[in-house]
């Protein structure tokens, strides 16, 4: 895996990890939207944990590629679920936000898988 590919994976993991920490710490820009979408508060720690484990899995994937590919796949499914949640809530203007996380996860998984 080249330097640029490695940097992309690290940046994707950092970006998704940042979102996980923002959810754990209940930053308004994350949890206000979750509440508006009807996501139960009891799910928030589990959702944050899923994102954090996915981000860590991307980093592990730099050394053990199958783990990174699986982590990326899990993150893609997670953010597809986020898109469904946004659509079900009728918050169509918010559709770009889960895509800002889904895209780097998919790209990172592709880079890890083709290395």
């Amino acid at each position: 895996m080249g330097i640029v590919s490695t940097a992309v994976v690290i940046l994707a993991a950092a970006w998704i990890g940042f979102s996980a920490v923002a959810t754990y710490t209940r930053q308004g820009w994350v949890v206000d939207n979750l509440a508006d979408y009807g996501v139960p508060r009891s799910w928030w720690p589990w959702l944050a944990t899923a994102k954090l484990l996915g981000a860590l899995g991307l980093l592990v994937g730099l050394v053990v590629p199958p783990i990174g590919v699986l982590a990326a796949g899990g993150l893609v499914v997670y953010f597809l679920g986020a898109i469904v949640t946004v659509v079900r809530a009728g918050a169509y203007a918010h559709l770009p936000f889960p895509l800002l996380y889904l895209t780097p996860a998919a790209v990172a998984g592709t880079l890890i898988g083709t290395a």
Side-chain angles (χ1 to χ4, degrees):
M1 195 168 207
I3 293 172
V4 173
S5 296
T6 300
V8 168
V9 172
I10 291 170
L11 288 172
W15 178 244
I16 294 164
F18 168 74
S19 177
V21 171
T23 307
Y24 277 128
T25 59
R26 298 188 182 226
Q27 299 298 309
W29 59 273
V30 175
V31 297
D32 290 349
N33 290 326
L34 290 175
D36 289 345
Y37 304 153
V39 178
R41 284 182 184 260
S42 62
W43 292 15
W44 297 356
W46 297 106
L47 295 172
T49 300
K51 288 189 280 190
L52 185 60
L53 290 174
L56 292 173
L58 292 178
L59 295 175
V60 170
L62 294 170
V63 179
V64 185
I67 298 295
V69 171
L70 289 172
L75 287 167
V76 166
V77 169
Y78 176 97
F79 290 113
L80 286 173
I83 289 169
V84 169
T85 300
V86 170
V87 169
R88 289 187 72 204
Y92 303 110
H94 292 189
L95 278 175
F97 300 119
L99 291 171
L100 290 173
Y101 295 95
L102 184 145
T103 303
V107 169
T110 301
L111 292 172
I112 293 169
T114 60

